[in-house]
Amino acid sequence: MNRQLSFFEELTEQRWDDHRFYHQSYVNQALHLFSASCFVVTYVLIPIEPVAAVFFGWFIAMWSRQIGHFFFEPKGHDNVNGVSFAHKEKIKVGFNLQRKVAMLIAWLSIPAILHFVPSTLAWMTSLTGEADYLHNLAVAWLSLAGIGLLGRTIWLMIFRNPQTGLVWCTKILTDPFHDIKQYHAAPLHLLRGERLDPMNARASHG
């Protein structure tokens, strides 16, 4: 019988799987370093200027993070891990590319909904000017992020197990700090002309 992983063992495993499957490109790693730094700024801004934090988080931190996944990561057979891209997408614990596309479509739809059908979100502040529109947009985008995080966490807790959901939620919230630690050398690799991480550390995670 396989031993149940502890919380921190599973956290380490989820981080390693995410790294080896979805962060082989040094360009993607460098973008994650930039994105992670921006998310740390976002965390600082939330209690001070929440509207600015949401715009900064979605426009700068989130987009720079996803560009690396969509445009720079290998999409064919994964020779490093010996699996197909379809297999990686199927076993992805969090948001695979298909789920990310759905999330980004929802994100892009919210400004149009607020502009053309403001009554749809009746719980928002009544729109009397541009400032109210931007405030409502920030609230809606923050709500979308919360729904995405909470929804996926609950799904994992129900269909995987409670610990897996809580581990994934913890991973997502702490990813900015972990990414800075893990990918701080990515720009140096790019300056050396290197493009893909050989994942030499995989032996220590076997």
Side-chain angles (χ1 to χ4, degrees), residues 2-101:
N2 293 330
R3 179 179 67 86
Q4 172 69 38
L5 296 178
S6 70
F7 184 93
F8 290 105
E9 286 174 336
E10 186 170 357
L11 179 60
T12 299
E13 184 178 82
Q14 283 194 24
R15 281 175 170 165
W16 171 241
D17 284 344
D18 186 52
H19 170 64
R20 69 190 179 104
F21 285 146
Y22 285 95
H23 299 85
Q24 296 180 19
S25 165
Y26 282 127
V27 175
N28 189 26
Q29 291 184 15
L31 286 168
H32 270 60
L33 176 63
F34 173 77
S35 171
S37 302
C38 292
F39 268 121
V40 171
V41 173
T42 300
Y43 283 178
V44 174
L45 283 174
I46 285 176
I48 304 170
E49 292 287 347
V51 173
V54 172
F55 278 91
F56 189 76
W58 271 109
F59 272 109
I60 308 300
M62 181 60 78
W63 275 103
S64 59
R65 192 175 193 85
Q66 302 311 325
I67 285 171
H69 286 300
F70 281 100
F71 298 106
F72 295 101
E73 282 296 315
K75 301 298 190 300
H77 184 80
D78 185 343
N79 294 320
V80 172
N81 297 290
V83 296
S84 67
F85 180 75
H87 175 74
K88 292 192 295 187
E89 286 285 276
K90 183 177 180 180
I91 66 171
K92 174 72 171 176
V93 174
F95 283 83
N96 59 19
L97 293 192
Q98 184 177 10
R99 298 184 194 110
K100 287 179 179 180
V101 168

Side-chain angles (χ1 to χ4, degrees), residues 3 6 19 35 37 43 91 93 95 102 107 120 122-124 127 130 135 141 145 156 162-163 171 186 188 190 199 202:
R3 179 179 67 86
S6 70
H19 170 64
S35 171
S37 302
Y43 283 178
I91 66 171
V93 174
F95 283 83
W107 176 77
T120 303
W123 49 277
M124 294 281 188
L127 293 176
E130 183 178 348
H135 177 271
W141 277 345
L156 289 170
Q163 178 174 291
K171 174 189 172 298
L188 181 59
L190 290 175
M199 301 290 168
R202 64 184 180 276

Side-chain angles (χ1 to χ4, degrees), residues 112-125 127 133 136:
I113 294 172
L114 277 176
H115 180 74
F116 293 107
V117 197
S119 59
T120 303
L121 304 176
W123 49 277
M124 294 281 188
T125 303
L127 293 176
Y133 174 81
N136 285 350

Side-chain angles (χ1 to χ4, degrees), residues 174-204:
T174 59
D175 265 350
F177 308 101
H178 185 262
D179 285 352
I180 291 173
K181 176 183 177 182
Q182 187 163 30
Y183 299 136
H184 67 275
L188 181 59
H189 288 288
L190 290 175
L191 290 174
R192 291 172 178 166
E194 302 169 12
R195 289 294 177 265
L196 294 178
D197 188 337
M199 301 290 168
N200 291 329
R202 64 184 180 276
S204 64

